[in-house]
Amino acid sequence: MQSGLSVDVPAIEVEGVSFRYPTTEGRERIWTLDHLSFHVDAGEILGVVGPNGSGKSSLLKVLSGYLPAGEGDVRLGGLSLGTRSQADIARLVAVVPQEYAQVFPFTVAETVLMGRFPHRTARWWSMGIGDETAKDLACAHQSMIDTDVLSLADRLVSDLSGGERQRVTIARALAQAPKILLLDEPTAFLDINHQIEICSLIAQLRAERRLTVVLVSHDLNVASQYCDRVLMLKEGRLCRIGSPDETIRPDVLQMIYGCEVVVDAHPQTGRPRVTMPMNIVRN
């Protein structure tokens, strides 16, 4: 089966998808995701925002095939996730989780090279670290350059700061050479310099490789400035989807988050910019 995407259909189609986590107590839990329907075009960056517990991370897990949809269907390049093998999905979709726990003492270079595993042939699965091809090494090397971790290549991931580990995780995903990149809070642990670098890198990859990106973020300004459209979740339901101008609005944010914010135009991009009102108590 081909792992690529057709230009004639959306990269991702979500149709009537619902999901809830199982319980061992015999009671049915409420839906974590409740009848979601939307699509993501090839080469699009879709931001996913919403309050804590609204289902953002669960949505990424369903899109990647890690969690099965209880109802509805997810299609990648027009083909249902259920018809694609795990290896085929892994060659198509890379995931950057919110947190990545490094259990074994691997170096940064070894960790990034793990992103090449989906591209191994059946014979290669019996091969270990050190048996990579020149293409694998080149992809890993470029990914480390792109995420500014090449200087850390020989260090153990367990010895890195949270921000450094996050960049290594993104490098591993890029080494996978995916067509779809799913990111869960990719800038959460980064300083402002690396936040800008990662967001700029995502935009660059979309432009150069026609990479399709779904980016979960609590930072409404990241979603507004870097995403083509923004999907807003609340209690597992899709409340709004559209351009930043259509979604990053005071009335919409009041409905989603239940609080008042200030929204004006960014002085450079003209896109909506969100700031918190200053309720200062003076003596």
Side-chain angles (χ1 to χ4, degrees), residues 248-250 253 261-265 272-275:
I248 309 299
R249 295 169 28 185
L253 298 178
V261 295
V262 176
V263 179
D264 61 2
R273 178 180 60 178
V274 180
T275 54

Side-chain angles (χ1 to χ4, degrees), residues 170-247:
I170 295 173
R172 185 186 61 173
L174 295 180
Q176 200 170 321
K179 299 296 184 183
I180 297 172
L181 187 61
L182 308 179
L183 302 109
D184 195 353
E185 295 286 352
T187 62
F189 304 107
L190 304 183
D191 58 48
I192 189 168
N193 178 52
H194 284 106
Q195 285 183 31
I196 295 171
E197 286 185 359
I198 291 301
C199 289
S200 298
L201 172 63
I202 292 169
Q204 177 184 342
L205 290 169
R206 184 272 294 273
E208 295 179 353
R209 307 185 192 183
R210 199 165 172 76
L211 190 67
T212 302
V213 179
V214 179
L215 187 157
V216 165
S217 181
H218 277 296
D219 191 328
L220 293 171
N221 287 317
V222 167
S224 179
Q225 301 307 315
Y226 290 96
C227 298
D228 300 304
R229 289 188 301 152
V230 179
L231 183 154
M232 295 179 149
L233 289 176
K234 184 177 182 180
E235 297 178 346
R237 297 184 179 90
L238 194 161
C239 291
R240 190 69 63 95
I241 186 170
S243 69
D245 286 331
E246 295 170 325
T247 55

Side-chain angles (χ1 to χ4, degrees), residues 35-56:
H35 292 88
L36 301 184
S37 295
F38 64 92
H39 72 276
V40 188
D41 289 326
E44 182 179 16
I45 301 179
L46 178 72
V48 180
V49 303
N52 290 333
S54 58
K56 301 185 298 295

Side-chain angles (χ1 to χ4, degrees), residues 109-130:
E110 290 168 339
T111 300
V112 175
L113 275 167
M114 291 176 189
R116 298 300 301 164
F117 284 176
H119 298 277
R120 293 189 170 194
T121 63
R123 179 181 65 85
W124 273 48
W125 286 109
S126 63
M127 302 166 70
I129 293 174

Side-chain angles (χ1 to χ4, degrees), residues 15-29:
E15 184 176 332
V17 164
S18 295
F19 170 81
R20 60 184 164 201
Y21 289 94
T23 177
T24 58
E25 301 174 357
R27 296 176 299 170
E28 288 190 346
R29 293 186 175 181

